[in-house]
Amino acid sequence: MSKKIYFLLLTSLCFSCLQHENKESDAKSIYDEIDQKAKKVPDSISTYKEIAEHLAENISDDQEKVRALHIWITHNIDYDLTQIDSLTVNKSDVFEDLIIKEVLSNKKGVCMHYSMLFHKMCSALDIQS
């Protein structure tokens, strides 16, 4: 191959890499904004539905909404090792609502609590989980 073809290939490869970096940078800045908002939900907002709606405010993309829910849950609900062996599973909505209220008030839970809370928050935003 001639030097011109190598130059063109190298130039196009570099241009492609720059475009990819710009897309990653744009996505990162969007996620940075979402993450910061998710970490600063006022304490006056207390139900899972209110929190989910607050987090989804001004976000149209479901993936970004899910990101906001994930960040809020992981930064606000601590893992509670004292409950790990004391759980019983009951699938009634009343039971789930009581558990979620307790998790939100204590800011503690285990895997089942994280998943219940995430599912209810997604449901409040009409996102299938």
Side-chain angles (χ1 to χ4, degrees):
M1 279 191 194
S2 73
K3 288 182 181 182
K4 285 183 182 180
I5 292 175
Y6 281 124
F7 177 75
L8 288 174
L9 287 173
L10 182 60
T11 304
S12 65
L13 179 63
C14 289
F15 183 72
S16 176
C17 289
L18 288 174
Q19 284 182 321
H20 181 71
E21 284 179 17
N22 286 339
K23 286 179 185 177
E24 283 182 356
S25 177
D26 290 346
K28 185 177 182 197
S29 67
I30 290 169
Y31 285 148
D32 286 343
E33 290 175 31
I34 291 169
D35 295 355
Q36 291 307 310
K37 180 180 179 181
K39 293 175 186 177
K40 296 179 181 175
V41 173
D43 290 336
S44 60
I45 299 174
S46 59
T47 69
Y48 74 86
K49 189 173 183 174
E50 292 171 333
I51 295 166
E53 289 171 350
H54 175 78
L55 293 170
E57 212 169 73
N58 301 320
I59 300 175
S60 58
D61 182 72
D62 283 351
Q63 184 175 348
E64 293 173 5
K65 290 176 186 177
V66 166
R67 168 72 178 224
L69 299 178
H70 163 76
I71 294 297
W72 186 87
I73 291 170
T74 58
H75 281 81
N76 289 280
I77 307 299
D78 291 327
Y79 201 85
D80 187 4
L81 291 174
T82 64
Q83 292 187 34
I84 203 158
D85 292 326
S86 63
L87 294 177
T88 58
V89 177
N90 182 334
K91 290 303 288 176
S92 78
D93 288 338
V94 173
F95 177 76
E96 285 184 3
D97 288 342
L98 289 172
I99 292 288
I100 289 170
K101 283 181 185 178
E102 183 179 328
V103 168
L104 290 174
S105 113
N106 295 333
K107 302 283 192 211
K108 292 181 183 180
V110 292
C111 302
M112 182 178 77
H113 302 132
Y114 282 80
S115 61
M116 274 185 190
L117 179 57
F118 180 77
H119 176 71
K120 286 287 195 174
M121 292 173 100
C122 284
S123 295
L125 300 177
D126 294 322
I127 297 173
Q128 185 178 1
S129 69

